[in-house]
Amino acid sequence: MARGKLRIYLGAAPGVGKTYAMLSEAHRRLERGTDCVVAFVEHHDRPRTEVLLHGLEQVPRRQIAYRDGFFTEMDIDAVLARRPQVALVDELAHTNVPGSRNTKRWQDAEELLAAGIDVISTVNIQHLESLGDVVESITGVRQRETVPDEVVRRADQIELVDMSPEALRRRMAHGNIYRPDKVDAALSHYFRPGNLTALRELALLWVADRVDEYLNEYRSEHRVSAIWGSRERIVVGLTGGPEGRTLIRRAVRLAEKGAGGEVMAVYVARSDGLTAASPKELALQRTLVEDLGGTFHQVIGDDIPAALLDFARGVNATQIVLGVSRRRSWQYVFGPGVGATVARESGPDLDVHLITHGEAGKGRGLPAARGARLGRSRVVAGWLVGVLGPVLVTLLLTGPLPDVGLANDMLLILALTVAAALLGGLVPALASAVVGSVLLNWYFTPPVHTLTIADPENIVAIAIFVGVAASVASVVGLAARRTHLAARLRAESEILSFLAGNVLRGETSLEALLERVRETFGMESAALLERSGETAPWTCAGSVGPRPAEVPEDADVDVPVGDTMALSLRGRVLPAADRRVLAAFAAQAAVVLDRRRLQQEADRAKELAEGNRIRTALLAAVSHDLRTPLAGIKASVSSLRSDDVEWSEQDRAELLEAIEEGADRLDHLVGNLLDMSRLQTGTVSALIRETDLDEVVPMALVGVPEDSVELDIPETLPMVHVDRGLLERAVANVVENAVKYSPPGGKVVVSASALADRVEVRVVDRGPGVPDEAKDRIFEPFQRYGDAPRGVGVGLGLAVARGFAEAIGGSLDAEDTPGGGLTMVLTVPTAPGRQAPEPAAAGR
């Protein structure tokens, strides 16, 4: 029986319309004659979703008793018995009630697919198992219901259901997703604009990776070796030299010329120990390419051109950017170089750019580190020069070249022996000395063509030759080994110093540190394992690379950090010389892990402290600032209802006035609390239109005594581009605050003036003023500067005023009043085309 096909609607966030899209697809299929049923769909009391269920056959759900209640789940047996062509299964990550046949709903869907039934389902990006930690770090909410990524990746079709954060928040505010009593909490927590933007980016990136994966599978199945330039992918070949930064910037400029360009920097490291490039320079180049939006990769390969081309073709790259060779002119006798080789073998579907730079032709210099052993190519060259070189020289001296004497013959052979020592070390040089002495004895020492030496002087000469050759070879080999050992130690010190600096400055995350370990030693994967005790099971604190070790015993290299932590690497067994650096990496990894946990605890403590501060302020507001007007209202009402006192009309009027004042004051306090809540949840929506300032400001002064404010608003001011209601509330709060702190008998001056494309409203008081260090703090919620008397408010007026000013595209700042006091400057934009006129020219 053929397996059914799975189609998934992947949502960027809850409420974007996954279920709606799934039901719409069901109606389209039903119109085409497809047998389609609803196996399980939850409409969550959303009217528009519920309407779409009409006209669709729904398989009755199964009731399951659990604890003290009954719950409904999808009846898998009923769906299999009905055997439709297509079944709708909502919320793929859902966990079934205990007592169900399967633990998870995706397992129910797998049964339907195995029975040949097509399944259409939904899932949100935050429910993918691999993204659990990322989503928790973004939203602060740990998703308990997850679905394995592999289940979603196996889907035959994945359709992204997306919506901009602003549109989704509007849907939320209109009550189209949650009930009204849950809207404010959702908007201020999970549905914050930053959270929704990050979740949307996660969804887009995940789907893009799925598209790339499908494209690679298609090319592999159809044996497509040619590169398909679906988008520009530019590979930058790095050598670890300073020219790498120039190449990265040039590649980024090339990528910006086309939409969707991608830059991948790759460094090809040899497989003989530590990386040969400067770790510090590579780290700087890694940071640069990541800051510019690209990615950094490191691959292992002794044939650099082949490894670079394999990587480029593997990622379906369209261009390769290389730097002009740093080799000097005479070094080209050893080969054409990496750039020329890559350009020759790249083929017609892969463009190669050779970029000039300041380091071209200056020489490559000595490698930073290649291990304490000589490289294989140098050893082979040493053997060739030491063994074949004397043979070729002998053939030339016994053939076309004239006889130059035994002493010169020995010097020529000795030169080759020294060259063999320089290239291959001690063993090739000793072999060269033996071969050279035999050739000298056979061809040049009388009697020739025999191993007999007739002249004792020649015996001494041959002996001296062998001794000198062996001594020179030993000294040169020792010097070469020490040179490379020093280079290795230098590389190790660079790695350790750069690592320690980054860790101490807090610039390296645990994953980045493990990635550095993996790349430095050319390993397949790296993992930091820990356990709570010697007998407790191991858990993974962080890992990079495929198939990380789950226990130290599974690793190829295991470096313990105390009794409860271990750094485990897979890929190959490292030599003992590398374990010193690896131990330092392991210790630093433990430090990074501890610091990350301390930072998390500090962040939680900060959140708790901030929450406690706000709760304390709210309690203070409720306990005094809100209860005071309530107490006054209650006392006045109780007095009016009292039968024991006969109140005069004047007394009744005074009591009623006290009730009205208390109610107004209470309304003002509650209004500020609600306004701050709206600002913090981002639900303030401004209706921007052209408005006359002289119509708004007088309306904002209704709540203050008439003789306490002096108004100076010129009629010649241009129209402003604002929300009239929000501007009125902002001005009212600022004026009320100024009147509150003005001295008795003093007046607050409210004036306005036009400057270029904006209008400034200045509210000037002669109160005690505010020091410079406190001018920003007075705009924070629940802040009352100095010894403000109780009952003057909860400290939200200026915070609300600044929030409303910013919501309409303006600003609110505090300045000192000349002569003492405080001036609030409210700046709002003028309407387009309504800028202030230029000042008139002076009369002639």
Side-chain angles (χ1 to χ4, degrees):
M1 179 183 297
R3 179 180 171 86
K5 295 184 180 298
L6 175 61
R7 176 170 184 169
I8 292 180
Y9 287 93
L10 179 66
V16 295
K18 306 178 304 299
T19 305
Y20 190 93
M22 179 180 67
L23 294 174
S24 299
E25 175 65 18
H27 279 284
R28 285 193 292 270
R29 296 198 181 196
L30 200 63
E31 292 173 357
R32 296 197 300 264
T34 304
D35 183 15
C36 185
V37 302
V38 175
F40 189 98
V41 168
E42 188 63 62
H43 55 74
H44 297 290
D45 297 326
R46 297 169 186 168
R48 296 185 180 181
T49 305
E50 189 175 3
V51 167
L52 282 179
L53 283 170
H54 298 163
L56 296 176
E57 178 185 350
Q58 301 187 45
V59 177
R61 302 181 183 182
R62 177 188 176 193
Q63 281 198 343
I64 301 175
Y66 179 64
R67 293 183 177 176
D68 297 330
F70 288 90
F71 300 86
T72 60
E73 294 288 358
M74 182 174 68
D75 192 339
I76 184 69
D77 293 322
V79 178
L80 291 173
R82 170 63 176 77
R83 198 169 186 78
Q85 289 179 279
V86 179
L88 306 184
V89 180
D90 202 9
E91 298 178 354
L92 194 63
H94 172 75
T95 301
N96 293 328
V97 174
S100 304
R101 179 158 59 190
N102 296 312
T103 305
K104 305 288 290 188
R105 186 167 293 164
W106 65 263
Q107 296 170 327
D108 296 337
E110 285 292 318
E111 283 197 38
L112 299 179
L113 293 170
I117 301 173
D118 293 345
V119 174
I120 304 179
S121 188
T122 63
V123 69
N124 282 328
I125 191 68
Q126 69 265 23
H127 293 300
L128 294 180
E129 198 169 76
S130 67
L131 301 178
D133 294 340
V134 180
V135 172
E136 182 180 9
S137 66
I138 294 171
T139 64
V141 178
R142 182 67 180 180
Q143 298 296 330
R144 302 299 179 186
E145 295 188 332
T146 60
V147 58
D149 289 47
E150 186 59 29
V151 173
V152 182
R153 289 186 183 276
R154 285 201 307 263
D156 299 276
Q157 297 181 56
I158 299 177
E159 182 173 333
L160 178 65
V161 183
D162 188 21
M163 182 179 291
S164 68
E166 294 78 11
L168 183 56
R169 286 171 61 82
R170 282 197 299 270
R171 289 193 63 192
M172 174 72 69
H174 294 161
N176 294 333
I177 300 177
Y178 293 154
R179 294 195 306 270
D181 59 330
K182 295 184 177 181
V183 169
D184 288 341
L187 288 174
S188 60
H189 292 88
Y190 195 91
F191 285 81
R192 292 198 299 266
N195 290 356
L196 297 178
T197 302
L199 291 175
R200 188 185 192 193
E201 183 179 10
L202 273 181
L204 291 170
L205 290 174
W206 196 92
V207 173
D209 288 342
R210 178 68 178 86
V211 172
D212 281 346
E213 181 182 328
Y214 173 76
L215 180 60
N216 291 333
E217 290 177 359
Y218 180 86
R219 295 177 69 229
S220 176
E221 291 173 359
H222 293 77
R223 299 180 180 178
V224 179
S225 58
I227 292 176
W228 286 0
S230 53
R231 59 173 169 167
E232 290 294 336
R233 285 188 175 91
I234 302 176
V235 171
V236 185
L238 302 178
T239 64
E243 76 281 358
R245 283 171 273 178
T246 301
L247 303 184
I248 291 171
R249 293 188 179 96
R250 181 61 183 274
V252 170
R253 289 198 297 270
L254 289 173
E256 289 175 348
K257 293 181 179 179
E262 182 178 358
V263 175
M264 291 170 283
V266 58
Y267 171 72
V268 181
R270 298 187 183 273
S271 59
D272 56 352
L274 290 174
T275 175
S278 168
K280 182 177 181 180
E281 183 63 35
L282 276 181
L284 292 174
Q285 293 174 15
R286 172 200 288 270
T287 302
L288 175 62
V289 71
E290 291 176 351
D291 288 344
L292 295 176
T295 56
F296 182 90
H297 307 269
Q298 181 165 324
V299 298
I300 307 298
D302 292 323
D303 188 345
I304 294 179
L308 192 59
L309 288 171
D310 288 342
F311 176 84
R313 293 192 175 103
V315 299
N316 199 30
T318 58
Q319 301 179 53
I320 295 180
V321 173
L322 299 173
V324 173
S325 178
R326 287 185 286 146
R327 296 192 299 174
R328 301 186 186 277
S329 301
W330 60 269
Q331 291 177 307
Y332 282 96
V333 300
F334 299 107
V338 174
T341 305
V342 171
R344 184 181 66 247
E345 299 179 1
S346 61
D349 50 359
L350 189 57
D351 297 334
V352 178
H353 302 267
L354 291 179
I355 308 300
T356 58
H357 51 83
E359 302 297 321
K362 293 184 178 180
R364 300 182 63 87
L366 292 175
R370 286 282 302 278
R373 302 175 302 278
L374 298 176
R376 180 181 302 175
S377 60
R378 288 191 58 177
V379 173
V380 172
W383 278 99
L384 292 175
V385 172
V387 176
L388 295 182
V391 174
L392 294 176
V393 170
T394 301
L395 292 176
L396 292 174
L397 293 175
T398 57
L401 296 179
D403 184 16
V404 294
L406 180 59
N408 291 325
D409 295 336
M410 288 184 177
L411 290 176
L412 290 173
I413 300 296
L414 181 61
L416 293 174
T417 301
V418 173
L422 290 172
L423 290 173
L426 178 61
V427 177
L430 292 177
S432 177
V434 173
V435 172
S437 62
V438 171
L439 292 174
L440 287 171
N441 188 9
W442 184 270
Y443 288 101
F444 303 106
T445 306
V448 297
H449 303 302
T450 67
L451 296 178
T452 302
I453 303 176
D455 189 349
E457 294 181 356
N458 293 334
I459 295 176
V460 175
I462 293 294
I464 292 175
F465 168 78
V466 174
V468 170
S471 301
V472 171
S474 177
V475 171
V476 171
L478 179 61
R481 286 195 299 274
R482 287 185 175 177
T483 298
H484 283 275
L485 180 59
R488 178 184 179 86
L489 293 175
R490 176 188 170 197
E492 290 181 2
S493 65
E494 283 187 0
I495 291 174
L496 295 177
S497 63
F498 189 75
L499 171 67
N502 279 2
V503 171
L504 290 175
R505 291 191 299 268
E507 298 174 358
T508 303
S509 65
L510 179 60
E511 287 71 21
L513 183 62
L514 294 176
E515 182 66 23
R516 178 67 55 81
V517 175
R518 189 182 71 85
E519 293 178 351
T520 299
F521 295 96
M523 305 299 285
E524 179 183 349
S525 64
L528 184 64
L529 306 177
E530 64 174 347
R531 58 183 178 180
S532 57
E534 294 185 359
T535 60
W538 291 95
T539 59
C540 182
S543 65
V544 294
R547 301 188 310 108
E550 298 180 357
V551 294
E553 291 76 13
D554 295 342
D556 295 315
V557 181
D558 171 32
V559 180
V561 185
D563 297 330
T564 60
M565 195 173 295
L567 179 63
S568 302
L569 287 82
R570 273 184 171 176
R572 61 190 176 92
V573 179
L574 294 177
D578 289 341
R579 294 187 67 88
R580 179 174 61 253
V581 178
L582 197 56
F585 270 109
Q588 295 289 10
V591 171
V592 170
L593 180 62
D594 290 341
R595 190 182 66 243
R596 183 172 73 177
R597 290 175 175 169
L598 289 173
Q599 184 62 43
Q600 291 173 349
E601 293 179 2
D603 292 340
R604 285 195 295 268
K606 184 178 179 181
E607 291 177 359
L608 290 174
E610 180 66 18
N612 287 334
R613 187 184 70 83
I614 294 178
R615 280 193 293 271
T616 301
L618 283 173
L619 286 174
V622 172
S623 62
H624 188 279
D625 296 308
L626 295 181
R627 291 183 64 185
T628 298
L630 284 175
I633 294 173
K634 180 175 177 58
S636 298
V637 171
S638 299
S639 299
L640 290 174
R641 289 171 56 91
S642 175
D643 297 331
D644 301 335
V645 180
E646 184 68 28
W647 301 102
S648 65
E649 290 299 325
Q650 182 179 357
D651 293 335
R652 287 179 178 274
E654 291 179 354
L655 290 173
L656 290 174
E657 184 180 358
I659 293 173
E660 185 177 11
E661 289 179 355
D664 290 341
R665 186 170 158 193
L666 184 62
D667 177 70
H668 181 71
L669 292 174
V670 173
N672 276 339
L673 287 171
L674 293 178
D675 288 341
M676 180 53 60
S677 174
R678 292 171 60 201
L679 287 171
Q680 290 181 342
T681 57
T683 56
V684 175
S685 56
L687 180 60
I688 305 297
R689 59 183 178 180
E690 292 187 4
T691 304
D692 278 326
L693 198 63
D694 57 358
E695 295 179 1
V696 177
V697 175
M699 297 296 296
L701 306 181
V702 173
V704 297
E706 295 182 1
D707 58 348
S708 62
V709 177
E710 180 180 332
L711 194 60
D712 181 17
I713 305 295
E715 297 181 356
T716 58
L717 287 176
M719 303 277 282
V720 292
H721 204 51
V722 296
D723 182 299
R724 181 167 180 166
L726 296 182
L727 177 61
E728 181 181 327
R729 292 293 305 278
V731 173
N733 280 9
V734 172
V735 172
E736 179 188 351
N737 183 79
V739 171
K740 185 188 308 177
Y741 287 97
S742 291
K747 284 191 175 184
V748 172
V749 178
V750 180
S751 62
S753 59
L755 298 172
D757 59 348
R758 65 189 188 276
V759 171
E760 288 186 352
V761 178
R762 308 179 73 86
V763 180
V764 183
D765 68 60
R766 294 292 180 179
V770 176
D772 291 340
E773 63 272 12
K775 281 186 172 61
D776 285 332
R777 194 166 66 247
I778 61 176
F779 293 103
E780 296 177 4
F782 302 107
Q783 294 293 321
R784 291 186 296 188
Y785 176 72
D787 55 351
R790 303 293 295 175
V792 298
V794 294
L796 287 176
L798 293 182
V800 170
R802 172 172 275 190
F804 283 167
E806 293 175 350
I808 60 178
S811 63
L812 179 62
D813 300 290
E815 298 178 357
D816 289 330
T817 300
L822 190 68
T823 298
M824 291 290 179
V825 182
L826 176 62
T827 304
V828 293
T830 59
R834 302 276 188 164
Q835 283 77 12
E838 295 292 335
R844 290 176 293 180

